[in-house]
Amino acid sequence: MTAATAAGPDETNTGRSEVWRDLLRDHFVSLDVEVERDGGMFDGAVRSDFLGHLRVSGVRSVDQDIVRTPELLRRDHDRYLQVCLVRRGTAYAAQDGHEAMLRPGDFVVYETERPFQWTLRAEAGSPYWDLAVFTWPRDTICLSDSESAQLTCRTLDGGSGITAVLSRMLTDLLVEKPTVSEGGAIRIADEIGDLVATIATEAYGFGGAADRHANLLRRIDSYIAEHLGDPDLSPERVAQAHFVSTRQLQRMFAGRGQTVSQVVRRQRLERCRRDLLNRRGGEATLTEISVRWGFTDLSVFSRAFREVYGTSPTAYRARVRG
């Protein structure tokens, strides 16, 4: 994997559960932890490596309950989508009204911008449970907020079907630690994130259980994704295509904490970022890439790209392909 470990190759703390909270925060987000010691000593370890923008972590500790509360959400504002896979022990996870019971090999999808809870227990005869945790910046995952809310904390079976194939692949990713170029690492991180979203969606779907509001939002999300290259894509166009008023459309997106224009801009930038990595089809110019995804002014595109990714499109392409 590219990059060194996030905080040393292996972080272990014995007898100090308060340090454990700090360690989890450093690797993930702020969490409340209640440890069940039963008179024994506390022990825990976290190891994280990076594959592009994907953080790959192994976590091991003793029986405990972990909660991300609304108060903790206000302490850190970074949005992540995470996959947690149980390697040893058992786990209970809850988010968005869903509950999952996990055995070794099973995994779930969840998000850090909404409250969640975990109950982690070691198996009989062992003092530890063991997890693999995969963390993506939320904006790099092509999954709408409404789709994500349908998928979080639903058990994905590690023992059979296509979810078992993904479970084995994720486990190998933690254990094998492949060495690839920086550009290759970013592409792999994107593709694994897309694969997680696709398999989780296929495993549970949405069917008739989703209400009309959620179905409408999904159709709108699909419409936006299909028309990103249209420079005239606007809230008014989106609303008209779905027979709702612009005001109603904006209220629907306000429930997600975003405007329609913000969603369109962020998705366009993400498509441009991916095209900057793509060597297939020759070397497209920045102008060609930006126009392909609906930007009509190269300077506007370059400025927006720098605001989101912290560097210019030219420097980004050179760095990841270098």
Side-chain angles (χ1 to χ4, degrees), residues 93-106:
Q95 188 177 51
D96 296 327
H98 310 145
E99 299 179 340
M101 294 298 301
L102 308 172
R103 300 168 299 171
D106 297 342

Side-chain angles (χ1 to χ4, degrees), residues 5-222:
T5 55
D10 219 3
E11 299 267 0
T12 304
N13 302 281
T14 302
R16 296 187 62 191
S17 57
E18 68 276 7
V19 177
W20 179 243
R21 293 186 185 90
D22 293 339
L23 184 58
L24 292 178
R25 182 195 62 222
D26 291 342
H27 284 258
F28 307 114
V29 291
S30 298
L31 301 165
D32 276 342
V33 182
E34 183 176 342
V35 178
E36 294 195 3
R37 300 193 188 190
D38 293 332
M41 294 189 67
F42 176 79
D43 193 8
V46 183
R47 180 188 177 96
S48 289
D49 289 284
F50 283 93
L51 181 64
H53 49 272
L54 169 61
R55 183 191 291 260
V56 180
S57 306
V59 188
R60 184 202 72 210
S61 192
V62 296
D63 291 357
Q64 60 193 259
D65 298 324
I66 297 175
V67 179
R68 182 151 168 82
T69 64
E71 179 184 359
L72 292 176
L73 293 175
R74 293 188 285 271
R75 296 186 185 179
D76 38 43
H77 304 292
D78 292 332
R79 302 175 66 212
Y80 298 108
L81 182 138
Q82 295 186 301
V83 168
C84 183
L85 185 152
V86 176
R87 301 186 65 208
R88 181 169 56 177
T90 60
Y92 161 87
Q95 188 177 51
D96 296 327
H98 310 145
E99 299 179 340
M101 294 298 301
L102 308 172
R103 300 168 299 171
D106 297 342
F107 58 102
V108 292
V109 175
Y110 60 105
E111 293 210 33
T112 64
E113 68 170 346
R114 300 189 297 280
F116 60 77
Q117 67 181 91
W118 283 88
T119 299
L120 300 161
R121 298 292 182 265
E123 59 193 15
S126 172
Y128 305 117
W129 47 259
D130 196 347
L131 307 176
V133 182
F134 304 87
T135 305
W136 288 265
R138 178 63 178 87
D139 289 337
T140 66
I141 300 295
C142 294
L143 192 67
S144 72
D145 290 345
S146 58
E147 289 172 329
S148 172
Q150 292 286 328
L151 295 176
T152 50
C153 283
R154 296 184 185 273
T155 303
L156 295 164
D157 183 8
S160 62
I162 191 65
T163 51
V165 175
L166 180 56
S167 174
R168 292 193 293 271
M169 186 189 74
L170 291 173
T171 300
D172 289 345
L173 189 63
L174 175 71
V175 174
E176 294 297 327
K177 299 181 178 62
T179 300
V180 294
S181 68
E182 186 173 3
I186 293 173
R187 287 191 289 273
I188 292 171
D190 283 334
E191 290 170 5
I192 294 174
D194 288 346
L195 188 60
V196 166
T198 298
I199 289 179
T201 300
E202 287 294 317
Y204 279 98
F206 301 105
D211 59 24
R212 285 177 293 178
H213 178 81
N215 279 326
L216 177 57
L217 273 173
R218 283 194 294 276
R219 292 198 301 272
I220 291 170
D221 288 333
S222 296

